[in-house]
Amino acid sequence: MVLEGNPEVGSPRTSDLGHPGSQGSCVLSSPGEDAQPGEEPIKYGELIVLGYNGCLASGDKGRRRSRLALSRRPHANGVKPDVMHHISTPLVSKALSNRGQHSISYTLSRSHSVIVEYTHDSDTDMFQIGRSTENMIDFVVTDTSPGGGAAEGSSAQSTISRYACRILCDRRPPYTARIYAAGFDASSNIFLGERAAKWRTPDGLMDGLTTNGVLVMHPAGGFSEDSAPGVWREISVCGNVYTLRDSRSAQQRGKLVENESNVLQDGSLIDLCGATLLWRTPAGLLRAPTLKQLEAQRQEANAARPQCPVGLSTLAFPSPARGRTAPDKQQPWVYVRCGHVHGYHGWGCRRERGPQERECPLCRLVGPYVPLWLGQEAGLCLDPGPPSHAFAPCGHVCSEKTARYWAQTPLPHGTHAFHAACPFCGAWLTGEHGCVRLIFQGPLD
C-alpha cells in the first residue's frame, strides 16, 4: 500500500471540499454552546419536503417528518479535509476500517484508489439527509408520488440514495449553510466506485458525482413576492456547481459553473431524485404566514358566507384539525378551467371526456371539478396574501403570488424530465397556467 500525503490538501482551496458529520443521531433542538439556560437554540434554517402539506400521512415521527429545523449543536461535529492518499485497492478495506476516521474513497481502477481523509473542524455543524434510517442520517426522506401524496411503503425501488447529501452550517454568524452531494455511512466513509462520475481537478484534488445526483435551484430575487425560478444545477461531492448531465445518471459530468456556489439561499430547492426539499432561512420564515394567520384567513373566508350559485347552500372550508379525508357537505368545489366555485353536485358530467370532466353551469366550460383544500404548509408560501387561487387539477388553495410562482417552477422528475407541481401535494399541474383565480358568489341576502 502506498500512502502519499498531499501537501495541497491542507491549503485554503480544499476548504470547499466539505465537512462530514458525526456518529449517532443528532439533537437538532439543543441550545448551542453560547446559549444561556432557557434561551432558544440558534436556528440555521428549516427543510420542508414538498408534497405533504404540513405533515406526513402517517404522522411526523422522530427523524421521519415533512419538516425539520436545523439548529446549532451543543458541540461542533464538522470535519475538514486533511490528507490525500494513493492506495493499492487490495488494501483499501484495511485503510478504511477505522470508523473514527472520516474519508472519501475514489476508485479509479481495480488497482488504484484515492482516499481523502478528514479531521475535526470546530467551526461547522453537519446534517445528513437520505433514505437510510441509520443513526448517522439526521433527516430520513422517502419518495414522494407525483400524483399527490407520498410513497411511504417499501423503499426497495426508491431512487433516493441511502446517504443522499449533507448540509454544513457555519457555527458563527452569518451561519452560512452549504450543500454537498453524498453522505457518510456507518463507517464514516463515502465510496465512489469505478462507474461513478469522478475526476481530478486542475489543482490535483478529486471530485465526483453520485449515481442519481443532487440538484439545486436558487430562486432569482430571493423567496418573496418578486421571486422567479432560477436554473437547476448539480452539486458535486466536494460542493462544486455543474450544469446538468444529459440524463440523471450519465457518467459524463456537466460544465463547471464558476460564478455560482453551493451556499443555500432562502427558497433554494434541493432535489434528491424522488423527493424535493425547500430550504427556508430564519429571516425568510419571518416573512412567511404563520399557522395562526392561515387559520384567520380560513375563518375570514368562511365569515363571508360564500354560496353555491346553483344550490344556494353556504360553503365553508373545513378546519385543518379534521385532516384531509372525504369532503364534507359544506366543502367548496371548483371548476378548475374557469374558477367558478360551487357546492358539490352530481350534474354536468361529460363521461365522453373522462370521469372527472364536468360542465360548469355558469360558463359552460368543461374540465375537472374538484374539492378545494387550503394549503397548510406555511413555509411554502411566498407571502401572507389571501387564499385567492387554486392549483389545477388538485384544488389546493393559496395566495396569487404563491400559486403563480410554483406554477412556473419546473421540478425534476425521472432521469431528465421536469414538471411543475403543486407544492402541497405533489400533483403535476395542468392547464395553460397551472392555477386558476377562484370566483366566489357571496350571500344573496
Side-chain angles (χ1 to χ4, degrees):
M1 177 169 58
V2 181
L3 300 181
E4 298 178 9
N6 188 335
E8 294 182 345
V9 175
S11 67
R13 174 64 180 83
T14 59
S15 62
D16 292 338
L17 284 175
H19 312 278
S22 66
Q23 296 297 316
S25 59
C26 67
V27 183
L28 297 179
S29 58
S30 294
E33 293 170 334
D34 300 331
Q36 300 300 317
E39 287 185 350
E40 289 293 320
I42 294 171
K43 182 190 291 186
Y44 297 130
E46 293 193 22
L47 289 167
I48 304 170
V49 188
L50 303 190
Y52 294 94
N53 201 18
C55 185
L56 300 184
S58 59
D60 287 351
K61 302 171 185 176
R63 293 172 294 138
R64 192 191 297 269
R65 52 201 311 112
S66 66
R67 181 172 183 161
L68 188 74
L70 273 56
S71 299
R72 195 171 190 259
R73 295 181 184 275
H75 304 285
N77 72 326
V79 295
K80 54 189 176 183
D82 186 23
V83 180
M84 184 162 69
H85 304 294
H86 293 265
I87 299 177
S88 302
T89 301
L91 298 178
V92 167
S93 59
K94 181 178 179 180
L96 299 180
S97 61
N98 182 4
R99 293 191 173 212
Q101 179 71 61
H102 288 79
S103 63
I104 301 180
S105 173
Y106 302 86
T107 302
L108 303 181
S109 68
R110 294 185 178 182
S111 60
H112 184 201
S113 291
V114 175
I115 295 178
V116 179
E117 291 185 351
Y118 288 74
T119 187
H120 178 69
D121 182 7
S122 61
D123 295 326
T124 59
D125 286 335
M126 181 270 192
F127 305 90
Q128 296 207 137
I129 304 163
R131 176 169 49 88
S132 173
T133 58
E134 297 174 272
N135 286 340
M136 78 291 303
I137 297 298
D138 302 299
F139 194 15
V140 179
V141 178
T142 55
D143 296 71
T144 303
S145 299
E152 295 186 55
S154 172
S155 59
Q157 301 301 318
S158 175
T159 51
I160 300 175
S161 171
R162 289 185 299 159
Y163 317 105
C165 68
R166 60 200 193 276
I167 293 176
L168 294 308
C169 302
D170 291 342
R171 292 174 60 83
R172 296 181 175 85
Y175 307 115
T176 302
R178 297 177 175 85
I179 185 168
Y180 301 81
F184 290 79
D185 63 17
S187 299
S188 303
N189 298 312
I190 292 175
F191 294 91
L192 295 181
E194 282 190 69
R195 296 185 178 181
K198 70 187 82 66
W199 57 92
R200 192 180 297 275
T201 61
D203 50 6
L205 305 176
M206 296 297 300
D207 202 355
L209 305 173
T210 56
T211 301
N212 289 327
V214 174
L215 308 188
V216 172
M217 188 271 280
H218 305 303
F223 197 67
S224 65
E225 298 180 20
D226 300 321
S227 290
V231 179
W232 283 100
R233 303 297 194 193
E234 181 163 11
I235 302 298
S236 72
V237 171
C238 295
N240 294 310
V241 182
Y242 291 86
T243 59
L244 301 188
R245 289 177 269 183
D246 291 338
S247 65
R248 196 69 186 245
S249 58
Q251 289 187 298
Q252 182 62 42
R253 70 178 187 271
K255 296 180 179 179
L256 178 66
V257 184
E258 296 184 2
N259 62 340
E260 296 182 19
S261 77
N262 62 336
V263 173
L264 294 175
Q265 308 167 15
D266 187 42
S268 291
L269 288 172
I270 304 166
D271 187 81
L272 305 179
C273 195
T276 304
L277 286 62
L278 174 69
W279 173 259
R280 296 304 311 266
T281 63
L285 289 170
L286 290 177
R287 298 190 296 268
T290 64
L291 291 177
K292 288 185 177 180
Q293 287 176 311
L294 293 180
E295 175 60 16
Q297 290 178 348
R298 185 187 74 87
Q299 295 182 7
E300 183 178 353
N302 291 345
R305 296 173 56 214
Q307 290 192 340
C308 174
V310 177
L312 302 182
S313 59
T314 300
L315 308 177
F317 286 103
S319 167
R322 279 186 62 240
R324 179 167 177 171
T325 56
D328 63 21
K329 294 181 179 179
Q330 288 188 293
Q331 188 101 15
W333 287 63
V334 67
Y335 288 90
V336 297
R337 283 197 63 194
C338 59
H340 286 115
V341 179
H342 293 67
Y344 179 76
H345 52 253
W347 63 78
C349 294
R350 290 293 180 267
R351 299 193 182 281
E352 71 277 6
R353 298 277 296 273
Q356 301 295 326
E357 299 292 303
R358 299 282 190 94
E359 181 182 272
C360 176
L362 297 185
C363 66
R364 302 299 182 185
L365 279 177
V366 176
Y369 178 60
V370 298
L372 292 175
W373 305 92
L374 289 172
Q376 292 298 320
E377 179 49 83
L380 300 176
C381 301
L382 274 75
D383 67 335
S388 59
H389 284 63
F391 289 108
C394 61
H396 276 101
V397 180
C398 58
S399 71
E400 178 180 5
K401 294 284 179 74
T402 298
R404 296 196 183 282
Y405 174 80
W406 289 107
Q408 61 180 336
T409 300
L411 300 178
H413 169 69
T415 58
H416 53 265
F418 290 82
H419 293 281
C422 171
F424 300 108
C425 70
W428 294 352
L429 302 185
T430 60
E432 182 180 356
H433 302 292
C435 61
V436 63
R437 182 176 68 88
L438 299 176
I439 304 173
F440 290 92
Q441 176 173 295
L444 297 180
D445 57 356

